[in-house]
Amino acid sequence: MAFHVEGLVAIIVFYLAILAVGIWAAWKTKNTSSEGDRSEAIIVGGRDIGLLVGGFTMTATWVGGGYINGTAEAVYVPDYGLAWAQAPIGYSLSLIVGGLFFAKPMRSKGYVTMLDPFQQLYGKRMGGLLFIPALMGEMFWAAAIFSALGATISVIIDVNVNISVIISALIATMYTLVGGVYSVAYTDVVQLFCIFLGLWISVPFAMSHPAVTDIGLTAVHQVYQAPWLGSINSLDIYTWLDNFFLLTLGGIPWQAYFQRVLSSSSATYAQVLSFLAAFGCLVMAIPAVLIGAVGASTAWNQTEYGVPDPKSRKEADMILPIVLQYLCPVYISFFGLGAVSAAVMSSADSSILSASSMFARNIYQLAFRQNASDREIVWVIRITILLFGASATAMALLASSVYGLWYLSSDLIYIIIFPQLLCVLFIKGTNTYGAIAGYLFGLVLRITGGEPYLYLQPLIFYPGWYQDDNNLYIQRFPFKTLAMLTSFFTNVIVSYLAKYLFESGTLPPKLDFLDAVVARYSREHMDKATLVKSDNIVLNELAPVNPRHSLTLSSTFTNKEAFNYVDSSPELSNTEDN
């Protein structure tokens, strides 16, 4: 394969353009935020992200390199096909569910990060425990897509994988470092445009290649391999459902999602952004599906790629860059490469910023340094952006099973954080004892179920398990969803049991060592005035307010919907009365 100078120049121009937009956004942040709220401006901006930019950045966060490459791979692989390309539908439904049920309460209460409600209700120790799977998910996700980007660039322009990963990570980390959420959001607009343009330009050229058979024919008839529409075996239906619920419900409790929700200018805008991003995810998946279908409809022996085909060479995960390289003209493949690069950077920058935001606020500030100055928090965010960016890069270069680590960590987010989020937002009366018990039960059930990607053998064999050709044990039973439900019900049951035992006098107050039941105002439960402080949020979004106290009070509120939402919440009203 020849080294393409033109491709390298195109990538350099693209990266410089992205960096320029990121620096401009950082300048905009510096000139629009006051000196006293600089740290919050980095995390959630001025809470003034509009529909256009917000819709683009939320869509770009999901439409990453893994999303595009993974969708094309699922459609291409004969044993799966379109029926198993669950990410587009799963993530779109995840955004819809998040918009319907989670965006409004989170934004209306004025939180700064996803972990704020956990620390407010369960205390700083529980917030620290929940930070672990959240951090793992963000870091391993960033590492996985950096790894995919390096392989993609090396396929198309034949440069060293390590160099391409390091440079890409440096660019993404640099503009995230200087501009925070504003840089991430505005670069996402450019990146999403590049993804859309680059992939759609490539599709017609790939489909018109002489070696490609009509994808309409290969969708239902076997030509070079099984039809790319795919099918779901009756034995695999529970596995399919388990993965589907993992994507749909497990795609909600990510800081990258709630960072956009909490940056929006109102609770209603947060909901609308979720719905726009759901539509955007579906639209952006179409070219990836078509490219996967083209790969399944190609006689590879009639191309420069030759034989055997990508699946036989175990390069099915690279089908998208392979199609761009061998079925498109050189200059078109560079557009496609820019699209993949944009997709990776748009997700990686979000993950790095999300991890840094949670650490700086929920671990450093709220758990250890409640009196830390805003300038100190800003420096903590910047240092952790560098550290987490470097860590993700190192994992992409050194870890042999980074995708397996990401699969496991994303499972933990689904099994541990999602049921905890349900409890903290919608189940009144849960406490720290239930949260810890649910955390441990979910963790144990997931680990004992095994993980083939990490060669982790199961300790619990559920009905329907089997051994594959590599002597790995595969679980057909939906044990991930079982673990999630167990974690949820354990939290509720143990919380109410602990409350009954302490309040009935069965257990003495001195045994309430977490101050979760007896001590009504625990030292560990942070007051909302400490947890949520922002001059950019209207008063009604910070605390419940009863409009009957003043006939003219409602006229001071600019966001009537958030006012009505808080006032109508029975749980908040009870809190106020107490």
Side-chain angles (χ1 to χ4, degrees):
M1 186 185 302
F3 174 75
H4 294 288
V5 177
E6 301 90 341
L8 183 61
V9 171
I11 290 296
I12 291 174
V13 170
F14 168 76
Y15 278 8
L16 289 176
I18 293 296
L19 184 60
V21 172
I23 293 174
W24 170 81
W27 174 82
K28 174 183 172 67
T29 308
K30 189 173 182 179
N31 284 277
T32 56
S33 62
S34 62
E35 207 49 46
D37 60 358
R38 176 67 178 160
S39 62
E40 192 164 308
I42 293 176
I43 300 174
V44 292
R47 297 192 191 262
D48 59 355
I49 300 293
L51 284 179
L52 179 62
V53 175
F56 273 100
T57 185
M58 193 174 286
T59 302
T61 301
W62 263 249
V63 182
Y67 181 89
I68 292 175
N69 283 328
T71 300
E73 177 190 359
V75 174
Y76 167 71
V77 174
D79 297 335
Y80 293 91
L82 183 60
W84 286 87
Q86 295 175 292
I89 299 295
Y91 282 139
S92 296
L93 286 177
S94 173
L95 289 163
I96 292 174
V97 173
L100 288 175
F101 300 105
F102 294 89
K104 194 166 188 177
M106 289 290 286
R107 177 62 185 90
S108 295
K109 294 174 185 177
Y111 297 124
V112 178
T113 74
M114 177 185 71
L115 296 182
D116 281 1
F118 299 110
Q119 287 190 297
Q120 182 184 354
L121 184 62
Y122 297 147
K124 60 186 179 184
R125 293 191 187 97
M126 196 61 212
L129 283 176
L130 291 171
F131 172 73
I132 296 172
L135 174 66
M136 290 172 59
E138 300 290 359
M139 286 295 90
F140 290 135
W141 172 236
I145 54 183
F146 275 143
S147 178
L149 175 63
T152 301
I153 292 179
S154 65
V155 166
I156 295 182
I157 61 176
D158 194 27
V159 297
N160 184 271
V161 174
N162 295 346
I163 294 176
S164 61
V165 168
I166 292 172
I167 293 177
S168 303
L170 278 175
I171 297 293
T173 302
M174 190 179 301
Y175 67 71
T176 305
L177 178 69
V178 296
V181 74
Y182 271 118
S183 288
V184 171
Y186 281 96
T187 52
D188 279 348
V189 174
V190 179
Q191 289 157 350
L192 195 66
F193 175 77
C194 292
I195 297 169
F196 184 84
L197 183 65
L199 291 182
W200 274 113
I201 286 179
S202 305
V203 166
F205 289 94
M207 294 178 67
S208 60
H209 193 279
V212 177
T213 303
D214 181 16
I215 63 173
L217 176 66
T218 57
V220 292
H221 295 92
Q222 180 163 343
V223 180
Y224 306 111
Q225 60 180 53
W228 60 264
L229 282 181
S231 60
I232 304 172
N233 191 298
S234 59
L235 293 175
D236 296 325
I237 185 66
Y238 293 110
T239 302
W240 191 95
L241 289 173
D242 203 20
N243 293 336
F244 180 77
F245 285 123
L246 170 64
L247 290 170
T248 303
L249 302 179
I252 296 172
W254 289 76
Q255 169 64 11
Y257 167 66
F258 283 111
Q259 196 145 34
R260 274 83 186 146
V261 167
L262 299 174
S263 301
S264 58
S265 55
S266 71
T268 301
Y269 269 31
Q271 291 185 293
V272 175
L273 291 183
S274 300
F275 302 146
L276 289 176
F279 175 75
C281 283
L282 284 177
V283 171
M284 299 304 295
I286 295 174
V289 169
L290 293 176
I291 288 175
V294 167
S297 308
T298 300
W300 291 102
N301 59 344
Q302 300 177 23
T303 69
E304 292 183 12
Y305 186 83
V307 291
D309 58 19
K311 181 178 182 297
S312 301
R313 298 188 192 183
K314 297 183 178 181
E315 294 181 348
D317 58 332
M318 300 302 298
I319 190 62
L320 188 142
I322 288 172
V323 167
L324 296 178
Q325 170 69 14
Y326 294 98
L327 303 182
C328 297
V330 174
Y331 61 92
I332 294 297
S333 67
F334 296 154
F335 277 101
L337 176 60
V340 176
S341 303
V344 168
M345 293 173 70
S346 66
S347 295
D349 56 13
S350 301
S351 293
I352 294 169
L353 179 62
S354 297
S356 303
S357 301
M358 289 187 292
F359 177 83
R361 176 171 173 80
N362 300 104
I363 303 301
Y364 184 84
Q365 182 181 21
L366 296 182
F368 297 107
R369 290 274 296 167
Q370 289 89 346
N371 296 323
S373 65
D374 186 74
R375 181 181 178 86
E376 183 178 342
I377 301 303
V378 168
W379 276 105
V380 171
I381 293 174
R382 289 172 175 169
I383 292 171
T384 51
I385 285 175
L386 287 174
L387 290 178
F388 291 148
S391 300
T393 306
M395 285 187 287
L397 298 175
L398 303 176
S400 59
S401 56
V402 67
Y403 274 99
L405 292 171
W406 176 70
Y407 288 141
L408 181 59
S409 58
S410 62
D411 287 355
L412 294 179
I413 288 177
Y414 171 52
I415 292 167
I416 295 176
I417 300 184
F418 177 71
Q420 301 274 2
L421 187 64
L422 279 179
C423 290
V424 81
L425 291 181
F426 303 111
I427 307 297
K428 187 177 181 180
T430 57
N431 54 51
T432 312
Y433 296 106
I436 293 175
Y439 187 109
L440 294 177
F441 267 83
L443 178 63
V444 169
L445 286 177
R446 176 60 190 93
I447 298 299
T448 55
E451 177 52 62
Y453 282 97
L454 294 177
Y455 300 97
L456 181 65
Q457 301 292 12
L459 298 177
I460 299 177
F461 293 87
Y462 294 93
W465 66 272
Y466 69 96
Q467 236 178 334
D468 65 6
D469 297 335
N470 298 318
N471 294 322
L472 296 175
Y473 292 96
I474 308 297
Q475 306 269 21
R476 284 197 174 104
F477 187 82
F479 74 99
K480 298 174 186 177
T481 300
L482 174 66
M484 184 273 291
L485 293 174
T486 302
S487 178
F488 173 74
F489 287 112
T490 299
N491 190 340
V492 175
I493 292 170
V494 173
S495 292
Y496 279 91
L497 179 61
K499 184 178 180 182
Y500 169 77
L501 292 175
F502 282 115
E503 292 184 349
S504 65
T506 306
L507 292 178
K510 64 181 181 180
L511 292 181
D512 184 16
F513 63 94
L514 294 179
D515 291 334
V517 179
V518 178
R520 186 169 181 177
Y521 296 104
S522 168
R523 287 175 300 175
E524 192 174 11
H525 284 189
M526 288 162 289
D527 183 76
K528 177 169 273 192
T530 303
L531 187 65
V532 181
K533 52 181 181 179
S534 174
D535 298 332
N536 298 318
I537 313 175
V538 292
L539 177 62
N540 57 289
E541 291 182 343
L542 285 176
V545 179
N546 193 334
R548 291 174 294 182
H549 293 171
S550 172
L551 294 176
T552 61
L553 183 61
S554 61
S555 62
T556 65
F557 292 93
T558 58
N559 187 344
K560 300 296 193 299
E561 181 179 2
F563 178 88
N564 293 332
Y565 172 79
V566 175
D567 185 56
S568 63
S569 173
E571 181 179 342
L572 292 179
S573 298
N574 292 336
T575 304
E576 181 188 7
D577 294 338
N578 292 333

